[in-house]
Amino acid sequence: MPYNVPMIPKQETRRMEESPTLLLVEDEPDVASFVQQGLEEESYSVSWVQEGQRALEHVQQAPVDLVLLDIRLPDRSGIEVCGRLRLHQPNLPIMMLTALDAVEDRVKGLRAGADDYLPKPFAFDELVARIEALLRRVDAPAQTETLRDGPLVVDPAAQVCTYEGKEVSLTPTEFDLLVYLMARRGQALSRDAIHRDVWGHDFERGTNLIDVYVNYVREKLGEAGCPSPVETAHGVGYRYTACTESAERHD
């Protein structure tokens, strides 16, 4: 089956149209055909490529609202493709498609910057729901109030996080998670609430998605010299406390 790769001038970043444009990166033709046909019936515009390199070229050449990215591709790992996409288009929603038992692949994909993952085999209705959730996050009115906690400053409008004046590099999902927790300082927030409000769909029991992302935020703040203000609320979920309180606990 030929690649469906529309060519447009590189300087054009987004085509204004009613149907969101999706890029499906999947090397199995049967799976790709099923997903593409189903999504097009849901009024999405779907382009399909089989290789990671073609995906990178496509995103440079055509406007894309969301990428569905398989991990196992014939020319390079989907995790590598995810990292390169995230480097050049930090706000592009990316959903990884993974084997059911590939826990390590899921973690690597999230660390590379994926916003969500969906294990194979998956229910088509769930795929659509997750796509809708990611696109709602992009279209939702942005919180513009700058959040400050001592030397930690988070500017949602500019999508910038700094500690003592130095930028902390966060993926879009890590940034959204920090903003969500920071804006609710002192509240014990359940995993259900975090998943619903940050990811936009119901929390999956048995998954450690939220724990993985909280650890990423903690690690990146720690690398910047900021004692993590995100603490575990035992039996509930997580709580954001002040940086000064976190520092005192570490002294």
Side-chain angles (χ1 to χ4, degrees):
M1 180 179 296
Y3 290 114
N4 179 16
V5 184
M7 303 293 288
I8 65 172
K10 186 174 180 179
Q11 63 268 23
E12 183 177 344
T13 57
R14 183 182 176 90
R15 180 170 57 239
M16 297 305 293
E17 59 185 12
E18 293 183 1
S19 300
T21 301
L22 312 183
L23 175 61
L24 172 62
V25 190
E26 169 62 63
D27 67 326
E28 297 183 26
D30 290 344
V31 174
S33 177
F34 167 75
V35 172
Q36 183 175 23
Q37 180 179 345
L39 290 176
E40 287 176 345
E41 290 176 357
E42 293 288 333
S43 299
Y44 290 102
S45 175
V46 183
S47 295
W48 168 49
V49 297
Q50 292 177 293
E51 300 171 346
Q53 182 60 35
R54 293 299 299 271
L56 295 171
E57 294 170 358
H58 180 89
V59 170
Q60 287 183 335
Q61 296 164 349
V64 173
D65 295 305
L66 182 144
V67 175
L68 297 171
L69 179 60
D70 191 17
I71 283 185
R72 293 184 173 88
L73 299 172
D75 60 333
R76 63 182 68 197
S77 169
I79 293 169
E80 177 189 348
V81 175
C82 179
R84 293 184 60 181
L85 289 174
R86 182 60 67 223
L87 179 64
H88 296 290
Q89 297 206 28
N91 297 318
L92 176 64
I94 301 172
M95 182 186 300
M96 303 292 291
L97 305 178
T98 75
L100 183 61
D101 58 350
V103 176
E104 182 179 356
D105 283 342
R106 296 183 216 171
V107 172
K108 287 180 179 178
L110 295 174
R111 188 175 289 275
D115 297 288
D116 199 359
Y117 66 81
L118 185 60
K120 293 180 180 180
F122 50 79
F124 184 76
D125 288 346
E126 182 178 3
L127 173 64
V128 173
R130 286 172 178 263
I131 290 172
E132 292 173 347
L134 286 178
L135 293 176
R136 279 198 303 270
R137 284 176 51 190
V138 173
D139 294 334
Q143 179 175 339
T144 57
E145 180 183 355
T146 299
L147 302 171
R148 302 178 184 275
D149 181 11
L152 180 63
V153 180
V154 178
D155 184 346
Q159 289 284 296
V160 173
C161 172
T162 60
Y163 182 74
E164 295 183 342
K166 297 181 180 179
E167 186 171 351
V168 181
S169 178
L170 300 172
T171 68
T173 300
E174 291 166 356
F175 188 91
D176 290 347
L177 176 59
L178 179 58
V179 168
Y180 179 79
L181 295 171
M182 197 172 181
R184 294 159 180 77
R185 186 181 308 182
Q187 299 180 32
L189 302 166
S190 70
R191 287 176 173 80
D192 291 298
I194 295 171
H195 205 281
R196 181 188 65 243
D197 295 337
V198 177
W199 274 265
H201 53 78
D202 292 336
F203 178 58
E204 293 180 67
R205 300 294 177 180
T207 182
N208 63 343
L209 177 69
I210 295 173
D211 303 317
V212 168
Y213 267 100
V214 167
N215 285 336
Y216 291 164
V217 171
R218 286 171 169 170
E219 289 175 4
K220 291 186 176 181
L221 291 177
E223 290 170 359
C226 174
S228 174
V230 182
E231 67 177 20
T232 301
H234 296 289
V236 181
Y238 292 98
R239 177 191 297 108
Y240 184 98
T241 59
C243 279
T244 52
E245 294 177 15
S246 180
E248 289 172 358
R249 290 197 303 272
H250 285 77
D251 288 342

